Amino acid sequence: MDENLKNLGLSGDMNQNIKKFGLFAVMALGGLIIIISCFLNYLSVSANGFSVSTSLWSAGDGKYFIVVVLICLIFAFINLEKGYSVMAFIVAGFTLFEVQDYSEEVSKLPSAYKEMVSRGPGFWLMIIGTIILVGAAVAKIVLAKKAGNSNAMSE
């Protein structure tokens, strides 16, 4: 029985198991927020009463976010520690790239045009979801190390 629990990344301690499931639920919440952010307005440009906006999905980057987030959550669900930790940090890397790319492109604009460009809710939700996902992944790893049943990261 104990061997089966260890194979699943669980221990005989029910409190530890509840914490691990809770952290997976928090990771899933962060992943859901990121997925939703892919479809919301990432940035918008307003000039002379006209407004145009785009999302990560319509820009083409949303599909990569969604795939990586889903892989991360699958790895977390089956408790493949190396998998979800690497994928969570890939999501963080994608987020940093998107933030940097936005800042770089806006900084190239003349100052009169910079005021016309604004970040949409998709931009902010992407950042919030990434912080939640990566934070829960780190907490899940720390909890597994503390419980002593983290053989995947020590290989």
Side-chain angles (χ1 to χ4, degrees):
M1 178 74 167
D2 286 337
E3 187 64 34
N4 290 336
L5 287 174
K6 283 188 178 184
N7 289 338
L8 292 172
L10 302 173
S11 64
D13 182 7
M14 189 57 105
N15 288 333
Q16 291 282 58
N17 296 338
I18 291 171
K19 286 178 188 175
K20 284 184 181 181
F21 178 75
L23 287 172
F24 170 74
V26 171
M27 286 179 72
L29 174 66
L32 180 63
I33 291 171
I34 293 170
I35 290 170
I36 291 170
S37 77
C38 290
F39 298 100
L40 296 176
N41 293 340
Y42 183 76
L43 66 91
S44 61
V45 180
S46 300
N48 297 327
F50 294 101
S51 181
V52 177
S53 60
T54 187
S55 66
L56 286 174
W57 184 260
S58 63
D61 295 346
K63 59 187 166 198
Y64 302 113
F65 266 97
I66 292 171
V67 168
V68 172
V69 165
L70 290 176
I71 292 171
C72 178
L73 294 177
I74 290 168
F75 285 160
F77 183 74
I78 62 174
N79 208 38
L80 186 58
E81 208 169 293
K82 278 185 183 177
Y84 69 73
S85 57
V86 168
M87 297 309 283
F89 286 102
I90 289 174
V91 170
F94 279 3
T95 300
L96 289 174
F97 171 78
E98 291 295 337
V99 170
Q100 171 62 27
D101 189 48
Y102 172 87
S103 300
E104 190 176 293
E105 292 301 317
V106 170
S107 70
K108 292 177 186 177
L109 296 172
S111 60
Y113 295 127
K114 287 180 185 178
E115 297 171 5
M116 297 177 190
V117 180
S118 63
R119 296 173 181 102
F123 180 90
W124 300 111
L125 285 177
M126 175 189 63
I127 293 171
I128 292 167
T130 300
I131 291 169
I132 292 170
L133 179 78
V134 171
V138 169
K140 194 167 165 59
I141 292 166
V142 169
L143 184 63
K145 294 275 185 204
K146 201 174 189 182
N149 59 357
S150 178
N151 58 4
M153 290 299 280
S154 61
E155 292 175 352

